[in-house]
Amino acid sequence: MTLGILAALHDEVDGLIAAMRHDNARATVHRIGMRDYYVGELYGERCVLVLARVGKVAAAATTVTLIREFGVTELVFTGLAGGVGPEVRVGDLVIADRTVQHDMDARPLFPRHLVPLLGHAEFPTDPTLTGALRTAADRFVREDLATAVPAAVRERFGVDAPRLHLGMIGSGDQFIGAPATVAELRQRLPDLLAVEMEGAAVGQVCHEYGVPHAVIRTVSDRADDSAHVDFSSFLAQVASHYSEGIVRRLLSARREGG
């Protein structure tokens, strides 16, 4: 069993890479398609870590490489998202039970959101892996957050009592940062909780290859006209700790259970 872990931005995966290199002297790096794939043990489990970069094409290409070149048997995507659901706040965690490409539109040849010739608009995540990820996120928030992210940082960003949400995540090749765009997305996809730029591409590839996957996102903004404010600071000071801490919890629990 090999778990593939990918993210779009450096701060979302760098802490995990550092942990693998620190704990596993035999970790190797493979350069394929302008990406570095780190292979080794992470918290006692065999993993491949990679920075996918931003966007659906980048995520899909990286996912195919993880499956075909490294034989990963499961995938987890971690990173940031903009909150769209009315109850989703900055600092919350959204775990996908399914993903959709909100910018897929081949009308009139195919219905909106439907991936042409595949017959699917939504891509369910794996229930078992998603459940384990949800448990890991819950334990991180309850037991680790206070020490992982300093109180002053949590106060600055208003991250007091993060909540976990399970539901639809939408992916598209655009940064959502306008209230009018959010309103249109909510009308078109009423169940949508968060938006990002990669998860549904990973979901489609995993569906086509029959590989279980899960997607977890830290909400960095409300996808409105202030979405760009302090994005980099939130990523470095908050979200990076979420990613490392939750994956550590996930892998530790799998090792203890297995």
Coordinates of all heavy atoms in Angstrom, one line a residue, residues 2 4 6 30-39 48-52 57-73 75 205-206 209 211:
T2 N 0.6 2.1 -0.9 CA 1.4 3.4 -1.0 C 0.4 4.5 -1.1 O -0.5 4.5 -2.0 CB 2.3 3.4 -2.2 OG1 3.2 2.3 -2.1 CG2 3.1 4.7 -2.2
G4 N -0.4 8.4 -1.9 CA 0.1 9.6 -2.6 C -0.5 10.8 -1.9 O -1.7 10.9 -1.7
L6 N -0.7 15.0 -2.3 CA -0.3 16.1 -3.2 C -1.0 17.4 -2.7 O -2.1 17.4 -2.1 CB -0.6 15.8 -4.6 CG -2.0 15.5 -5.1 CD1 -2.1 15.6 -6.6 CD2 -2.5 14.1 -4.7
H30 N 12.4 11.8 -7.2 CA 12.4 11.5 -8.6 C 11.8 12.7 -9.3 O 10.7 13.2 -9.0 CB 11.5 10.3 -8.8 CG 11.9 9.0 -8.1 ND1 12.7 8.0 -8.6 CD2 11.7 8.7 -6.8 CE1 12.9 7.1 -7.7 NE2 12.4 7.5 -6.6
R31 N 12.6 13.2 -10.3 CA 12.1 14.3 -11.1 C 11.4 13.8 -12.4 O 12.0 13.2 -13.3 CB 13.4 15.1 -11.5 CG 13.1 16.4 -12.3 CD 12.6 17.5 -11.3 NE 12.5 18.8 -12.0 CZ 11.9 19.8 -11.5 NH1 11.4 19.8 -10.2 NH2 11.9 21.0 -12.1
I32 N 10.1 14.1 -12.5 CA 9.3 13.7 -13.6 C 8.4 14.9 -14.0 O 7.7 15.4 -13.1 CB 8.5 12.4 -13.3 CG1 9.4 11.3 -12.9 CG2 7.6 12.1 -14.5 CD1 8.6 10.0 -12.5
G33 N 8.4 15.3 -15.3 CA 7.5 16.3 -15.7 C 7.6 17.6 -14.9 O 6.6 18.2 -14.6
M34 N 8.8 18.0 -14.6 CA 9.1 19.2 -13.9 C 8.6 19.2 -12.5 O 8.4 20.3 -11.9 CB 8.5 20.5 -14.7 CG 9.1 20.6 -16.1 SD 8.4 22.0 -17.0 CE 8.9 23.4 -16.0
R35 N 8.4 18.0 -11.9 CA 7.9 17.9 -10.5 C 8.9 17.0 -9.8 O 9.3 16.0 -10.3 CB 6.5 17.4 -10.4 CG 5.5 18.4 -10.9 CD 4.1 17.8 -11.2 NE 3.1 18.7 -11.6 CZ 3.0 19.2 -12.8 NH1 3.9 18.9 -13.8 NH2 2.1 20.1 -13.1
D36 N 9.0 17.2 -8.5 CA 9.8 16.4 -7.6 C 8.9 15.5 -6.8 O 8.1 16.0 -6.0 CB 10.7 17.2 -6.7 CG 11.8 17.9 -7.5 OD1 12.3 17.4 -8.5 OD2 12.2 19.0 -7.0
Y37 N 9.0 14.2 -6.9 CA 8.3 13.2 -6.2 C 9.1 12.6 -5.1 O 10.2 12.0 -5.4 CB 7.7 12.1 -7.1 CG 6.8 12.6 -8.2 CD1 7.2 13.3 -9.3 CD2 5.4 12.4 -8.0 CE1 6.3 13.7 -10.3 CE2 4.5 12.9 -8.9 CZ 4.9 13.5 -10.1 OH 4.0 14.0 -11.0
Y38 N 8.7 12.8 -3.8 CA 9.5 12.4 -2.7 C 8.9 11.0 -2.2 O 7.7 10.9 -1.9 CB 9.4 13.4 -1.6 CG 10.1 14.7 -1.9 CD1 9.4 15.7 -2.7 CD2 11.4 15.0 -1.5 CE1 10.0 16.9 -3.0 CE2 12.0 16.2 -1.8 CZ 11.3 17.1 -2.6 OH 11.9 18.3 -2.9
V39 N 9.7 10.0 -2.3 CA 9.3 8.6 -2.0 C 10.0 8.1 -0.7 O 11.2 8.2 -0.6 CB 9.6 7.7 -3.2 CG1 9.1 6.3 -2.9 CG2 9.0 8.2 -4.4
V48 N 4.2 8.8 -1.2 CA 4.8 9.7 -2.2 C 4.3 11.1 -2.1 O 3.0 11.3 -2.1 CB 4.6 9.1 -3.6 CG1 5.3 10.0 -4.7 CG2 5.0 7.7 -3.7
L49 N 5.1 12.1 -1.8 CA 4.7 13.4 -1.7 C 5.1 14.2 -2.9 O 6.2 14.1 -3.5 CB 5.4 14.1 -0.5 CG 5.3 13.4 0.9 CD1 6.1 14.1 1.9 CD2 3.8 13.3 1.3
V50 N 4.2 15.2 -3.3 CA 4.6 16.0 -4.5 C 3.8 17.3 -4.5 O 2.6 17.3 -4.0 CB 4.2 15.2 -5.8 CG1 2.8 14.8 -5.9 CG2 4.7 16.0 -7.0
L51 N 4.5 18.3 -5.0 CA 3.8 19.6 -5.2 C 3.2 19.5 -6.6 O 4.0 19.5 -7.6 CB 4.9 20.7 -5.1 CG 4.4 22.1 -5.5 CD1 3.4 22.6 -4.4 CD2 5.5 23.1 -5.6
A52 N 1.9 19.5 -6.7 CA 1.2 19.4 -8.0 C 1.2 20.7 -8.8 O 1.2 20.7 -10.0 CB -0.2 18.9 -7.8
V57 N -5.3 21.1 -14.8 CA -4.3 20.3 -15.7 C -3.1 19.8 -14.9 O -2.7 18.7 -15.0 CB -3.9 21.2 -16.9 CG1 -2.7 20.5 -17.6 CG2 -5.0 21.5 -17.8
A58 N -2.6 20.7 -14.1 CA -1.4 20.3 -13.2 C -1.8 19.2 -12.3 O -1.0 18.3 -12.1 CB -0.9 21.6 -12.5
A59 N -2.9 19.3 -11.7 CA -3.4 18.3 -10.7 C -3.6 17.0 -11.4 O -3.2 15.9 -10.9 CB -4.6 18.7 -10.0
A60 N -4.2 17.0 -12.6 CA -4.5 15.7 -13.3 C -3.2 15.1 -13.7 O -3.0 13.8 -13.6 CB -5.4 16.0 -14.5
A61 N -2.3 15.9 -14.3 CA -1.0 15.3 -14.7 C -0.2 14.7 -13.6 O 0.3 13.6 -13.7 CB -0.2 16.4 -15.4
T62 N -0.2 15.3 -12.4 CA 0.5 14.8 -11.3 C -0.2 13.5 -10.8 O 0.5 12.6 -10.4 CB 0.5 15.9 -10.2 OG1 1.0 17.1 -10.7 CG2 1.4 15.4 -9.0
T63 N -1.5 13.5 -10.8 CA -2.2 12.3 -10.3 C -1.9 11.1 -11.2 O -1.7 10.0 -10.7 CB -3.7 12.6 -10.2 OG1 -4.0 13.7 -9.4 CG2 -4.5 11.4 -9.7
V64 N -1.9 11.3 -12.5 CA -1.6 10.2 -13.4 C -0.2 9.7 -13.1 O 0.0 8.5 -13.1 CB -1.8 10.7 -14.9 CG1 -1.2 9.6 -15.8 CG2 -3.2 10.9 -15.2
T65 N 0.7 10.6 -12.9 CA 2.1 10.1 -12.6 C 2.2 9.3 -11.3 O 2.9 8.3 -11.2 CB 3.0 11.3 -12.6 OG1 3.0 12.0 -13.8 CG2 4.5 10.9 -12.3
L66 N 1.5 9.8 -10.3 CA 1.5 9.1 -9.0 C 1.0 7.7 -9.2 O 1.5 6.7 -8.6 CB 0.6 9.8 -8.0 CG 1.2 11.1 -7.4 CD1 0.2 11.9 -6.6 CD2 2.4 10.7 -6.4
I67 N -0.1 7.5 -10.0 CA -0.7 6.2 -10.2 C 0.1 5.3 -11.1 O 0.4 4.2 -10.7 CB -2.1 6.4 -10.8 CG1 -3.0 7.1 -9.7 CG2 -2.7 5.0 -11.1 CD1 -4.4 7.5 -10.3
R68 N 0.6 5.8 -12.2 CA 1.3 5.0 -13.2 C 2.7 4.8 -12.9 O 3.3 3.7 -13.2 CB 1.1 5.6 -14.6 CG -0.4 5.5 -15.1 CD -0.5 6.0 -16.5 NE 0.4 5.3 -17.5 CZ 0.1 4.1 -18.1 NH1 -1.1 3.6 -17.8 NH2 0.9 3.6 -18.9
E69 N 3.4 5.8 -12.4 CA 4.9 5.7 -12.2 C 5.2 5.1 -10.8 O 6.2 4.5 -10.7 CB 5.5 7.0 -12.4 CG 5.4 7.6 -13.9 CD 6.1 6.7 -14.9 OE1 7.1 6.1 -14.6 OE2 5.6 6.7 -16.1
F70 N 4.4 5.5 -9.9 CA 4.7 5.1 -8.5 C 3.7 4.1 -7.9 O 3.9 3.7 -6.7 CB 4.8 6.4 -7.6 CG 5.9 7.3 -8.0 CD1 5.6 8.4 -8.8 CD2 7.2 7.1 -7.7 CE1 6.6 9.3 -9.3 CE2 8.2 8.0 -8.1 CZ 7.9 9.1 -8.9
G71 N 2.7 3.7 -8.6 CA 1.8 2.7 -8.1 C 1.1 3.0 -6.8 O 0.8 2.1 -6.0
V72 N 0.7 4.3 -6.6 CA 0.0 4.6 -5.4 C -1.3 4.0 -5.4 O -2.0 3.8 -6.5 CB -0.1 6.2 -5.2 CG1 1.3 6.8 -5.1 CG2 -1.0 6.8 -6.3
T73 N -1.8 3.6 -4.3 CA -3.1 2.8 -4.2 C -4.2 3.7 -3.6 O -5.3 3.3 -3.6 CB -2.9 1.6 -3.3 OG1 -2.2 2.0 -2.0 CG2 -2.0 0.6 -4.0
L75 N -5.0 8.3 -2.7 CA -4.5 9.6 -2.8 C -5.2 10.5 -1.9 O -6.4 10.4 -1.6 CB -4.7 10.2 -4.2 CG -3.6 9.7 -5.3 CD1 -4.2 8.6 -6.1 CD2 -3.3 10.9 -6.2
V205 N -9.5 11.7 -12.4 CA -8.5 10.8 -12.8 C -8.6 9.5 -11.9 O -8.4 8.4 -12.4 CB -7.1 11.4 -12.6 CG1 -6.0 10.4 -12.8 CG2 -6.9 12.5 -13.7
C206 N -8.8 9.7 -10.6 CA -8.9 8.6 -9.7 C -10.1 7.7 -10.0 O -10.1 6.5 -9.9 CB -9.0 9.1 -8.2 SG -7.5 9.7 -7.6
Y209 N -9.1 5.6 -13.0 CA -8.2 4.5 -12.7 C -8.6 3.6 -11.6 O -7.9 2.7 -11.2 CB -6.8 5.2 -12.4 CG -6.0 5.6 -13.6 CD1 -6.1 6.9 -14.1 CD2 -5.1 4.7 -14.2 CE1 -5.4 7.2 -15.2 CE2 -4.4 5.0 -15.3 CZ -4.5 6.3 -15.8 OH -3.8 6.7 -16.9
V211 N -8.9 4.4 -8.3 CA -8.0 4.6 -7.2 C -8.8 5.4 -6.1 O -9.3 6.5 -6.4 CB -6.7 5.3 -7.5 CG1 -5.9 5.6 -6.3 CG2 -5.9 4.4 -8.5

